[in-house]
Amino acid sequence: MIAKVKSCGLLGIDGYIVEVETDIANGMPAFDVVGLPDAAVKESRERVRSAMKNSDLSFPQRRITVNLAPANIRKEGPFYDLPICLGLLRSSGQLPGDEPDEYLFLGELSLNGTLRPVTGALPMVLCAAQAGIKKVILPAENAQEAAVVTDVEVYPAKTLGQIMAHFLHIERLQRITVNVDDLFKNNSIHCPDFSDVRGQESVKRALEVAAAGGHNVLLIGSPGSGKTMLAQRLPGILPQPTLAEALEITKIHSIAGVLPSDTPLITTRPFRSPHHTISPASLSGGGQVPRPGEVSLSHNGVLFLDELPEFNKNALEVLRQPLEDGVVTISRVSATLTYPCNTMLVAAMNPCKCGYHGDPHRECTCTDAQIHSYLSKISGPLLDRIDLHIEVPAVPYQELSSKTRGESSEAIRARVNAARERQAHRFADSPGIFSNAQMSSRMTDTYCALGTEENALMQSVFDNLGLSARAHNRILKVARTIADLADSPDIRTEHLAEAIQYRSLDRKYW
């Protein structure tokens, strides 16, 4: 007898429907799984066998064939255990009726029949909703995450026995629901506040511009000047993510297996700060079984690279394409996967190995060759992709000892939100564009047009500094953001001049 059960697989950050076909025929006892299964799927045979026996269910001692369709996509992960098991139960007549046809099943089985949580539950349930499947049964630990999808009825289960009791109408599983609005209200993380930072008003202004336009930032200054402290406060002035952005963030974290068990939906922008010993694959994504890297885990948020020159040069160079395109593509023999990485890069570094090159109060002990060698670890193409280059000077004692608190993150965030609203209105007819930093060259020509005076200033700077075409476009985008903060429909000379000063490090250090 042939039985069919619906499940789901993962391809990148999206799910696809998998139909688990089970056939029990006469012949020598055997258990074959076909449809390009990986090792974890093949091992499900033993988990399913033990789970059925330990749940007082009969395992058929006949020739069993399980097909995972479509057969041309490699199936990975242990979440096919439950649908394979239920397919066997239907084929052997232990699970009668057509009610299971209405459901999608996910879950890893332990040997005693309990259900273990799986990764990627949210994208798979979203796929079920898009495919018109209205009911899902999955492990209880994944229920809150899955219930974020309001178009699907989510039924959590702890054991295989509970699922059998549900379909045999002995004891029905209880549907679980989640109020998404409450998650946005209650699941906020309190970021450090800018009011704690003494002095550094020019740096705060630059970070406000970066937050308002989604621009990449490089902070350069001597040790102890507050670069890390300032970067850690940047998420506190970013706009709250929309539901669509929160779902994308959560999907990536769920697939990577780093979604906290008590967080069904990530409603704050991520802040990722990997150590400088990170490998290129961990930063960009990859591995034998491709998984999202740090640049994707910081999607719609901030990727902070402290001590930038200490990172492996190959790791930094793999960031060039993702920073430009907003996606990272990982090619393997089995598949080519694309992960989104629309992230703000915030990098911090010292101006030399000892850290005091150009410091007015401390003498630098590095030679010119050592300084050049240290700075050359950051390539010109990568530097070109960073919109704002900000010098962070040492804080004078008078400002450091002052009891006067600076402007709060909440006040800065209000201005950032206002600027983002103007950008949202501007890009209303451009899907996928949410900030000035994402503008294409054609959009830059349209929305960053300069007047006669501004054009003369831009030409003078371009010729004197020897800027690249990419740097030219990024100056225009930053100027557009500064104009948005000033609620100006046009880019004026003062907006352009402020944007130009954020590129001064191009020639001072490199």
Side-chain angles (χ1 to χ4, degrees):
M1 177 181 174
I2 295 178
K4 296 181 180 179
V5 173
K6 296 186 188 72
S7 187
C8 197
L10 288 171
L11 201 58
I13 66 166
D14 297 314
Y16 63 96
I17 298 299
V18 174
E19 198 167 65
V20 181
E21 301 174 325
T22 308
D23 177 49
I24 300 179
N26 294 326
M28 290 291 291
F31 194 161
D32 295 317
V33 180
V34 298
L36 285 182
D38 73 345
V41 180
K42 290 180 181 178
E43 290 172 354
S44 68
R45 295 175 299 189
E46 303 307 319
R47 292 192 295 269
V48 167
R49 191 193 310 269
S50 295
M52 290 177 66
K53 289 182 177 179
N54 290 319
S55 299
D56 297 324
L57 298 168
S58 176
F59 184 82
Q61 298 296 329
R62 297 162 69 186
R63 184 170 185 82
I64 300 169
T65 305
V66 176
N67 179 42
L68 306 177
N72 63 327
I73 303 176
R74 188 166 183 80
K75 315 302 184 304
E76 299 170 342
F79 37 76
Y80 298 107
D81 289 4
L82 180 59
I84 289 174
C85 182
L86 294 177
L88 284 175
L89 292 170
R90 295 191 75 186
S91 292
S92 61
Q94 298 178 72
L95 185 59
D98 297 329
E99 188 182 1
D101 292 336
E102 304 173 10
Y103 291 77
L104 182 136
F105 300 93
L106 303 168
E108 176 187 346
L109 286 171
S110 63
L111 299 185
N112 63 358
T114 59
L115 267 67
R116 299 182 185 275
V118 297
T119 59
L122 177 60
M124 289 190 281
V125 175
L126 282 169
C127 174
Q130 293 167 1
I133 301 172
K134 299 299 182 183
K135 299 178 181 179
V136 174
I137 291 180
L138 76 177
E141 288 88 342
N142 295 119
Q144 293 278 338
E145 173 190 348
V148 170
V149 186
T150 55
D151 296 335
V152 175
E153 297 178 15
V154 175
Y155 296 90
K158 294 183 177 180
T159 66
L160 179 59
Q162 286 183 346
I163 298 173
M164 289 296 294
H166 175 79
F167 287 116
L168 296 174
H169 294 270
I170 298 173
E171 184 178 352
R172 302 288 283 183
L173 296 172
Q174 297 300 309
R175 179 187 177 186
I176 188 170
T177 58
V178 168
N179 190 317
V180 175
D181 293 334
D182 288 345
L183 292 177
F184 274 92
K185 293 177 184 176
N186 302 328
N187 197 27
S188 61
I189 299 175
H190 298 287
C191 296
D193 201 280
F194 267 103
S195 62
D196 300 330
V197 180
R198 302 288 190 268
Q200 305 291 18
E201 298 304 322
S202 61
V203 184
K204 292 179 187 177
R205 166 62 181 178
L207 291 177
E208 178 182 337
V209 172
H215 302 288
N216 300 326
V217 179
L218 173 64
L219 302 171
I220 183 167
S222 55
S225 57
K227 302 183 295 295
T228 303
M229 184 180 187
L230 286 158
Q232 289 172 341
R233 282 153 177 75
L234 183 58
I237 63 173
L238 291 173
Q240 188 177 48
T242 63
L243 177 59
E245 289 177 320
L247 286 172
E248 272 200 331
I249 295 168
T250 308
K251 283 167 65 176
I252 296 170
H253 283 70
S254 177
I255 290 167
V258 295
L259 183 68
S261 58
D262 59 346
T263 308
L265 183 69
I266 298 177
T267 57
T268 55
R269 296 190 180 273
F271 180 85
R272 305 288 299 185
S273 180
H275 192 260
H276 60 76
T277 55
I278 190 171
S279 67
S282 297
L283 188 59
S284 65
Q288 185 175 359
V289 178
R291 287 289 181 267
E294 289 292 335
V295 70
S296 293
L297 289 170
S298 58
H299 177 59
N300 289 330
V302 175
L303 174 64
F304 178 50
L305 303 183
D306 201 4
E307 303 297 343
L308 187 64
E310 302 301 328
F311 281 78
N312 182 294
K313 190 164 187 176
N314 291 333
L316 293 180
E317 292 307 303
V318 300
L319 289 177
R320 286 160 55 173
Q321 177 265 334
L323 289 177
E324 192 77 13
D325 299 339
V327 294
V328 57
T329 302
I330 303 167
S331 295
R332 295 292 182 268
V333 173
S334 57
T336 297
L337 303 179
T338 298
Y339 294 110
C341 57
N342 179 27
T343 180
M344 277 183 64
L345 173 66
V346 179
M349 62 178 289
N350 299 327
C352 65
K353 190 71 175 178
C354 76
Y356 296 104
H357 175 58
D359 190 293
H361 306 293
R362 298 284 295 272
E363 183 179 354
C364 175
T365 59
C366 302
T367 64
D368 289 343
Q370 289 174 325
I371 295 172
H372 180 267
S373 174
Y374 186 76
L375 295 176
S376 64
K377 293 180 180 180
I378 314 301
S379 69
L382 178 61
L383 195 67
D384 245 4
R385 287 166 169 82
I386 300 178
D387 305 357
L388 287 80
H389 308 158
I390 308 167
E391 285 191 274
V392 185
V395 183
Y397 177 77
Q398 291 79 4
E399 294 182 359
L400 196 62
S401 61
S402 173
K403 301 301 182 183
T404 304
R405 296 182 68 85
E407 191 175 26
S408 69
S409 294
E410 185 178 356
I412 301 172
R413 186 178 186 176
R415 295 194 295 270
V416 170
N417 283 334
R420 287 287 185 116
E421 287 174 7
R422 296 181 189 104
Q423 294 167 51
H425 178 74
R426 178 183 302 131
F427 305 129
D429 298 327
S430 304
I433 304 296
F434 304 103
S435 64
N436 289 332
Q438 297 173 293
M439 284 192 290
S440 64
S441 297
R442 181 173 296 181
M443 296 172 73
T444 304
D445 293 339
T446 303
Y447 299 119
C448 303
L450 301 178
T452 304
E453 184 179 344
E454 291 78 16
N455 198 55
L457 174 61
M458 191 67 184
Q459 181 176 355
S460 173
V461 171
F462 189 84
D463 293 338
N464 291 332
L465 292 184
L467 299 176
S468 67
R470 183 182 286 114
H472 169 267
N473 285 346
R474 291 185 181 274
I475 287 175
L476 291 178
K477 293 177 183 180
V478 173
R480 178 66 268 172
T481 299
I482 295 170
D484 288 339
L485 284 168
D487 196 13
S488 171
D490 301 314
I491 297 176
R492 297 198 294 266
T493 304
E494 60 268 26
H495 306 146
L496 187 61
E498 183 179 353
I500 290 169
Q501 75 167 352
Y502 295 133
R503 301 294 302 195
S504 61
L505 294 183
D506 275 350
R507 291 296 166 265
K508 180 173 181 178
Y509 290 108
W510 278 271

